[in-house]
């Protein structure tokens, strides 16, 4: 089964002005991971972060990225970021008493990206281990960032209402929406990584 999403709006609901960013989530049989595929315009702005492709790169959000957030119970969530040049970053987070906490970072991940310079697009494929997903994952949001300085553009699958905020913040969990993960996750899904987090 597959879930498909299109990012067509900026963080505040205005149109992006470019082709949609496509995200698909799928899982084959009894696989212990979810496959995430990205197809997006390639802006090359900012350029290559310089890290080794296929490896974690800290502060990847300062570059051109597509991000996905998987939200479970008690405000526990997984953030994954992918760059057209092949770098990625994975973060486990939670919110306690209104304070956002980073629990784990730079978790290993299988990710490959390919840039098509001719039509100025890029494709990426990642295998996200089920172990990384928080308990009772049921909500989702996805984002994209590109551009430099005043041309920096922040885009959202499920944006904030227009005029509600002055600046973008992708960790506003109230705008995440329920997704039917039942087509992807096994009924008895549990994570040892998250079991240690209160």
């Amino acid at each position: 089964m597959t879930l498909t999403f299109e990012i067509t709006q900026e963080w505040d609901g205005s149109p992006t002005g470019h082709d949609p960013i496509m995200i698909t989530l799928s899982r084959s049989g009894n696989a212990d991971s979810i496959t995430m595929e990205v197809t997006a315009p390639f802006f090359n702005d900012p350029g290559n972060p310089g890290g080794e492709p296929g490896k974690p790169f800290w502060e990847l959000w300062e570059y051109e990225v597509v991000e996905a957030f998987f939200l479970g119970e008690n405000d526990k969530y997984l953030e994954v970021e992918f760059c057209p040049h092949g770098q990625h970053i994975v973060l486990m987070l939670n919110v306690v008493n209104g304070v956002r906490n980073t629990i784990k970072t730079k978790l290993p991940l299988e990710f490959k990206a390919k840039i098509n310079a001719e039509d100025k697009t890029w494709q990426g494929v990642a295998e996200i281990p089920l172990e990384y997903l928080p308990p009772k994952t049921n909500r989702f949001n996805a984002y994209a960032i590109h551009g430099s300085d005043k041309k920096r553009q922040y885009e959202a699958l499920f944006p904030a209402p227009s005029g509600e905020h002055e600046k973008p913040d992708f960790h506003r969990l109230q705008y995440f929406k329920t997704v039917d993960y039942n087509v992807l996750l096994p009924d008895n899904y549990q994570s040892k990584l998250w079991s240690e987090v209160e």
Side-chain angles (χ1 to χ4, degrees):
M1 298 292 292
T2 301
L3 299 174
T4 302
F5 307 95
E6 291 187 5
I7 298 177
T8 60
Q9 302 174 85
E10 295 196 35
W11 69 275
D12 60 356
S14 57
T16 63
H18 60 70
D19 289 343
I21 293 168
M22 305 289 297
I23 296 173
T24 62
L25 302 174
S26 61
R27 180 168 170 261
S28 299
N30 294 321
D32 59 1
S33 64
I34 288 177
T35 302
M36 177 172 162
E37 299 180 64
V38 176
T39 301
F42 176 55
F43 299 94
N44 200 27
D45 181 18
N48 193 329
E52 181 180 352
K55 299 293 184 181
F57 187 90
W58 187 243
E59 295 187 345
L60 192 61
W61 52 85
E62 299 290 348
Y63 297 87
E64 180 176 350
V65 291
V66 171
E67 308 180 358
F69 288 65
F70 301 82
L71 176 61
E73 64 179 359
N74 299 323
D75 289 340
K76 297 176 181 178
Y77 60 107
L78 177 76
E79 175 183 353
V80 293
E81 302 184 14
F82 303 112
C83 176
H85 301 283
Q87 301 85 357
H88 65 78
I89 189 71
V90 181
L91 302 96
M92 291 171 55
L93 307 103
N94 71 351
V95 177
V96 178
N97 297 324
V99 178
R100 184 169 71 230
N101 305 288
T102 302
I103 299 162
K104 292 182 183 291
T105 65
K106 299 184 180 179
L107 292 166
L109 192 76
E110 181 181 332
F111 173 61
K112 294 182 179 179
K114 182 179 180 180
I115 296 169
N116 187 325
E118 185 174 340
D119 63 7
K120 295 183 179 179
T121 61
W122 70 278
Q123 292 79 38
V125 180
E127 295 295 333
I128 303 172
L130 296 180
E131 183 76 4
Y132 292 178
L133 298 178
K136 298 184 180 179
T137 301
N138 65 351
R139 287 193 285 163
F140 182 74
N141 212 344
Y143 304 95
I145 311 172
H146 60 86
S148 300
D149 302 323
K150 292 183 179 180
K151 294 184 178 180
R152 193 76 167 151
Q153 199 161 327
Y154 299 87
E155 303 167 356
L157 174 64
F158 304 126
S162 179
E164 190 75 16
H165 305 281
E166 293 184 2
K167 295 180 180 180
D169 181 349
F170 292 169
H171 297 264
R172 292 181 178 122
L173 305 183
Q174 67 268 35
Y175 302 123
F176 288 34
K177 292 193 176 180
T178 301
V179 168
D180 184 11
Y181 286 107
N182 291 329
V183 299
L184 300 178
L185 298 178
D187 293 337
N188 61 349
Y189 154 71
Q190 292 182 334
S191 168
K192 292 181 181 178
L193 276 177
W194 283 99
S195 65
E196 304 169 357
V197 179
E198 294 184 0

